[in-house]
Amino acid sequence: MNHAFILADIVFFPVAGGILSYLLGRKDKELRDKTVQAVSIVEFLMLLYLFLAGGESSFDLSGFCGMGLHFTTDGFRILYGTIAAFMWMMTLLFSEEYFAHYHNRNRYYLFQLITLGATEGIFLSADLYTTFIFFEVMSLASYVWVAQDERKESLRAASTYLAVAVIGGLVMLMGIFLLYQQAGTLYIGELYEACRGKNVYVAAGCLFFGFAAKAGAFPLHIWLPKAHPVAPAPASALLSGILTKTGIFGILVISCQILFHDAKWGTFVLLIGSVTMILGAVLALVSIDFKRTLACSSISQIGFILVGIGMQGLLGEENALAVRGSLLHMVNHSLFKLVLFMAAGVIYMNVHKLNLNEIRGFGRNKPFLAGVYLSGALGIGGMPLFSGYVSKTLIHESIVEYADGLAQGTQKAVFLGVSDMKLIEWLFLISGGLTVAYMCKLFFAVFVEKNEDPQVQAKYDAMNRSYMNRKSKAVLGICAVLFPLMGILPHLTMDHLADMGQGFMGLEKAPHAVAYFSIENLKGAAISILIGVLVYLIIGRKWMMVKTKAGGTKYVRRWLEFQDLEDYVYRPLLLVVLPGIFGRLCMIPDRLVDVLAKTLPVASGVETGLFDSIEDPEVIFLKKNVYVDTPLAHELEEGNALTYAIGRIGNRINRLLNVTVRRKNPKEKDYVHAAALVYTEFKENTGLIGRSLSYGLILFCVGLCATLIYLLTVLASHM
């Protein structure tokens, strides 16, 4: 079979399927649902075929947008393309029940499948130009997911998501311009050789900004806690599990191709990852919304992955543990969030609430849902015999390995010493402990504790058989069983996945087998679990819970509002501070005109003063005798003819009212003057607007000229 043909189908088939499903949905909703599910199943089967067949293939669409589109396959690309297709298939099968009472499903499914094609285009892209094209398509199409409900909070969260995506995309585009100017190529496989010995940190920084915005890394993480609580649960599973990994894909291109084994770059990524890891865990711990907790958890888990990527740069050629750990945690996190967000979806589609105080006790007497949630929670918490333990152990051991190398002198310190790496190790263990704590918080609130309202609890208990249909149960069960399967048999499952994808990160040789269940490795997991239990008992049960007047308890949100970066930093900066600064700059030409307007008359007055003194007697004589100033019939003291007419009508009406209705309290007002004042104010405002538009056009022209100069410079350098 022609693999190139399949490669093209993988990218464009879902888009065609989305258009078809939209047209069918206008006539037959059930047929549309079946079509959408069939498209996702066929997409998964095509990628599964490439996954099993192995080998490499490529497909080029020459001439598209000038530079063409280029796709290729390797182990990592096929692995993540298959995971993406699997997640889309499962969420779309689950969506049939979840969206049973939703409006605008045609629109949702259309953009779901468009985003699927764009996401596969990113993972299969052979050059950064193709990556960028599909990255922007993916960002714009997935905006619809967040805005699906069309509520006020949904639209605001969608605007935040879109703003981060657009700003990140523009900065990424500048990074692509700079990289192409310096390297002369955008082909991912050629970047290492093209960038060797060149200072490409600025270009890499711009690219990192754009990709980190989608990944949800600090300080560009602000869209995740806002978008996930309002987006439908199946969309949240994909936003968190897959769309964030497109950002990680780009960061891997930078770290493993452009700046391969660069310790300085590795240190930068490690520090960003450490802050993201601990911040996301803290935000998740203090949240009392089920999906918001999972969203903040995604921030933290992205931090874990970035720590692994950073360790790749620091360890250099001895980075096998970091490579395999970061790759496997990418896979794990994608699947964890698939299960956990669908579990949240089961809760929401039954009670339409997500606040822990309101959904408290929903999961009691629902052992299947509890088991599904526990599988994801134990996995993401790093519990031994679950898959998350394997990936976290590898990343943790890479930190320990580098710290030992610094202590023994086999590794050269760049910016971080032994004590710094020990601190990062403890941040890693504490973040893992916080993961255990917030997962315990969700489990006990939903599946163990009773609701404060006995009637609500009775209503929840009555749903123990009808809360989910068989298809949805099958979807959740299949996904949840993967974590203990991979965790119990890591050498047969997870090691194979790592072998398949490690070549993309520059690791060719197979490393020595890791004793995952050795005492040393189990000790790190035990420390995190112990920290998590203590944090849950002290913070989750004491600090975050208060007694009610009825004698019960309720969860309270302890995170302070002023610590919201979006509302108290980014929005004021982008909507108030920067417009104010640039507004002041735009006023400089206006003030210059005012100065000239005041200075020139004075200068001309001095210049003509002599002539005035000579000619004054003659001018006075002519004015008194020949040129007598007589008022014109149409000349007005102020305003214009319209304001004068309106004012006279107003004065007549006023006089009529004064002699009839207001005889005792007459009102004196000159409406001619009042209308003239309104006209003068209107002229001033329109003049101000005109000047503002003029300055806006001037700034646009300046920006356009700068862009043209830049492009001409790049063109000249290549001629």
Side-chain angles (χ1 to χ4, degrees):
M1 186 177 291
N2 190 338
H3 288 187
F5 179 75
I6 296 177
L7 202 57
D9 281 348
I10 287 171
V11 177
F12 299 108
F13 172 69
V15 179
I19 296 171
L20 176 62
S21 69
Y22 182 85
L23 297 174
L24 292 174
R26 303 181 69 176
K27 302 293 183 181
D28 189 332
K29 306 298 183 188
E30 185 177 352
L31 180 60
R32 175 208 57 208
D33 293 346
K34 301 302 180 186
T35 301
V36 167
Q37 293 170 21
V39 169
S40 66
I41 292 171
V42 171
E43 180 80 353
F44 172 68
L45 291 176
M46 286 192 291
L47 278 149
L48 184 62
Y49 169 78
L50 292 181
F51 181 90
L52 297 174
E56 296 185 4
S57 58
S58 60
F59 172 75
D60 296 330
L61 190 61
S62 302
F64 184 86
C65 291
M67 297 183 70
L69 299 178
H70 308 280
F71 306 99
T72 189
T73 60
D74 58 25
F76 176 80
R77 288 178 167 93
I78 288 299
L79 171 63
Y80 239 89
T82 305
I83 292 172
F86 174 78
M87 291 182 64
W88 246 277
M89 178 179 66
M90 290 302 185
T91 54
L92 287 173
L93 291 171
F94 176 72
S95 294
E96 183 176 3
E97 181 181 16
Y98 183 88
F99 283 102
H101 303 293
Y102 265 72
H103 298 291
N104 299 318
R105 286 177 290 172
N106 264 8
R107 179 185 68 190
Y108 174 79
Y109 286 129
L110 169 64
F111 285 99
Q112 270 276 340
L113 292 178
I114 290 174
T115 311
L116 170 57
T119 304
E120 296 291 356
I122 293 170
F123 287 128
L124 299 176
S125 58
D127 67 310
L128 286 176
Y129 178 76
T130 304
T131 305
F132 176 77
I133 293 291
F134 285 101
F135 205 88
E136 294 306 295
V137 173
M138 178 194 70
S139 297
L140 294 174
S142 56
Y143 162 84
V144 178
W145 305 0
V146 184
Q148 174 66 22
D149 289 339
E150 297 184 12
R151 294 174 294 162
K152 181 180 179 181
E153 56 269 29
S154 301
L155 295 175
R156 191 176 193 276
S159 69
T160 301
Y161 174 76
L162 188 61
V164 172
V166 170
I167 294 172
L170 289 173
V171 178
M172 185 198 305
L173 182 60
M174 182 54 68
I176 290 174
F177 284 159
L178 294 172
L179 183 65
Y180 187 71
Q181 180 186 13
Q182 292 180 280
T185 182
L186 293 177
Y187 278 90
I188 294 172
E190 300 174 357
L191 287 175
Y192 173 64
E193 291 296 334
C195 295
R196 285 178 66 179
K198 296 178 181 177
N199 187 348
V200 293
Y201 288 114
V202 175
C206 291
L207 290 170
F208 181 86
F209 185 99
F211 288 121
K214 184 61 65 184
F218 175 85
L220 305 169
H221 64 282
I222 58 171
W223 65 270
L224 280 102
K226 304 295 177 69
H228 284 298
V230 299
S236 293
L238 296 173
L239 283 167
S240 178
I242 282 295
L243 267 63
T244 55
K245 303 309 176 298
T246 61
I248 295 296
F249 170 81
I251 294 173
L252 285 174
V253 171
I254 303 169
S255 303
C256 303
Q257 303 290 337
I258 299 174
L259 294 169
F260 186 51
H261 291 169
D262 189 300
K264 294 178 182 178
W265 179 259
T267 303
F268 168 74
V269 176
L270 175 64
L271 294 177
I272 294 292
S274 299
V275 175
T276 304
M277 175 178 64
I278 192 72
L279 174 66
V282 172
L283 289 173
L285 181 65
V286 299
S287 172
I288 61 171
D289 181 281
F290 197 103
K291 283 179 67 180
R292 182 183 173 89
T293 301
L294 296 180
C296 296
S297 168
S298 293
I299 299 172
S300 181
Q301 301 308 310
I302 290 298
F304 279 95
I305 296 167
L306 290 177
V307 166
I309 296 173
M311 292 309 305
Q312 293 181 35
L314 287 172
L315 286 165
E317 295 181 357
E318 304 298 326
N319 64 1
L321 293 175
V323 166
R324 297 168 73 85
S326 50
L327 170 61
L328 291 177
H329 204 63
M330 285 178 66
V331 174
N332 279 330
H333 179 247
S334 294
L335 298 175
F336 292 152
K337 288 305 162 66
L338 173 65
V339 168
L340 292 171
F341 272 112
M342 286 198 294
V346 172
I347 299 171
Y348 185 79
M349 72 183 183
N350 281 278
V351 300
H352 301 289
K353 296 173 182 176
L354 288 168
N355 186 287
L356 291 185
N357 294 308
E358 296 173 325
I359 64 175
R360 205 169 177 182
F362 173 83
R364 290 173 60 87
N365 301 318
K366 297 179 179 65
F368 178 81
L369 184 61
V372 167
Y373 172 83
L374 267 178
S375 180
L378 293 173
I380 201 170
M383 184 68 66
L385 302 182
F386 286 82
S387 59
Y389 164 78
V390 175
S391 55
K392 286 189 173 182
T393 295
L394 290 170
I395 297 174
H396 175 243
E397 288 306 304
S398 71
I399 299 172
V400 173
E401 181 181 7
Y402 183 69
D404 291 344
L406 290 176
Q408 297 170 9
T410 57
Q411 290 285 352
K412 182 180 179 181
V414 181
F415 295 109
L416 303 176
V418 177
S419 59
D420 301 314
M421 294 306 302
K422 290 293 183 183
L423 174 61
I424 289 174
E425 181 190 1
W426 274 105
L427 287 177
F428 186 94
L429 295 173
I430 292 170
S431 298
L434 294 178
T435 306
V436 173
Y438 61 69
M439 284 297 159
C440 285
K441 176 191 68 176
L442 295 181
F443 178 76
F444 281 98
V446 177
F447 297 99
V448 177
E449 299 168 6
K450 289 186 176 181
N451 197 282
E452 292 295 298
D453 189 335
Q455 294 182 344
V456 173
Q457 186 60 56
K459 178 183 175 182
Y460 290 165
D461 291 340
M463 297 179 182
N464 62 345
R465 291 181 181 273
S466 59
Y467 67 93
M468 182 170 37
N469 65 26
R470 290 182 179 179
K471 180 189 286 186
S472 298
K473 281 187 176 180
V475 168
L476 267 72
I478 291 171
C479 297
V481 79
L482 294 174
F483 311 137
L485 177 64
M486 293 192 295
I488 294 171
L489 302 170
H491 294 299
L492 296 178
T493 55
M494 303 196 74
D495 281 359
H496 178 68
L497 297 179
D499 292 340
M500 185 175 183
Q502 68 182 18
F504 183 80
M505 304 181 200
L507 182 64
E508 300 296 339
K509 61 181 181 180
H512 61 82
V514 178
Y516 292 115
F517 302 110
S518 66
I519 298 299
E520 189 66 26
N521 288 331
L522 288 169
K523 185 174 73 172
I527 292 172
S528 284
I529 293 169
L530 179 61
I531 291 172
V533 171
L534 293 175
V535 169
Y536 173 68
L537 293 175
I538 297 171
I539 296 180
R541 304 295 302 178
K542 301 294 183 182
W543 186 58
M544 288 191 61
M545 299 184 77
V546 297
K547 291 186 177 295
T548 61
K549 294 181 180 179
T553 58
K554 70 173 184 178
Y555 290 92
V556 292
R557 186 169 182 257
R558 294 293 190 180
W559 194 248
L560 301 177
E561 292 296 333
F562 70 82
Q563 292 166 307
D564 190 314
L565 280 179
E566 178 190 352
D567 291 336
Y568 292 89
V569 178
Y570 294 134
R571 283 184 180 268
L573 179 66
L574 294 174
L575 302 180
V576 178
V577 176
L578 292 180
I581 293 173
F582 290 118
R584 292 290 182 184
L585 293 175
C586 290
M587 290 175 65
I588 293 175
D590 193 24
R591 291 184 175 178
L592 182 60
V593 171
D594 289 342
V595 171
L596 292 174
K598 293 176 181 177
T599 305
L600 290 177
V602 173
S604 60
V606 173
E607 183 181 349
T608 58
L610 179 62
F611 296 100
D612 287 344
S613 61
I614 295 173
E615 296 175 356
D616 278 348
E618 289 81 359
V619 172
I620 293 171
F621 174 79
L622 292 172
K623 187 175 181 180
K624 285 184 176 181
N625 296 281
V626 180
Y627 301 109
V628 179
D629 188 14
T630 56
L632 299 174
H634 61 274
E635 189 175 13
L636 301 173
E637 293 183 2
E638 57 182 354
N640 59 17
L642 179 61
T643 63
Y644 181 73
I646 294 173
R648 290 193 64 183
I649 293 171
N651 286 338
R652 289 177 181 177
I653 294 173
N654 187 56
R655 284 197 296 269
L656 179 62
L657 293 174
N658 285 342
V659 299
T660 54
V661 180
R662 297 198 297 249
R663 282 183 299 175
K664 295 182 178 181
N665 298 302
K667 181 180 178 181
E668 298 296 333
K669 183 175 180 180
D670 185 359
Y671 285 94
V672 172
H673 177 65
L677 289 178
V678 172
Y679 171 69
T680 303
E681 184 179 0
F682 173 76
K683 284 186 66 177
E684 291 177 352
N685 288 335
T686 53
L688 180 62
I689 292 171
R691 290 195 299 272
S692 300
L693 290 173
S694 299
Y695 293 140
L697 290 172
I698 290 172
L699 289 176
F700 173 77
C701 291
V702 170
L704 182 61
C705 290
T707 304
L708 290 174
I709 291 170
Y710 170 78
L711 293 175
L712 289 172
T713 304
V714 173
L715 182 62
S717 64
H718 288 85
M719 290 181 65

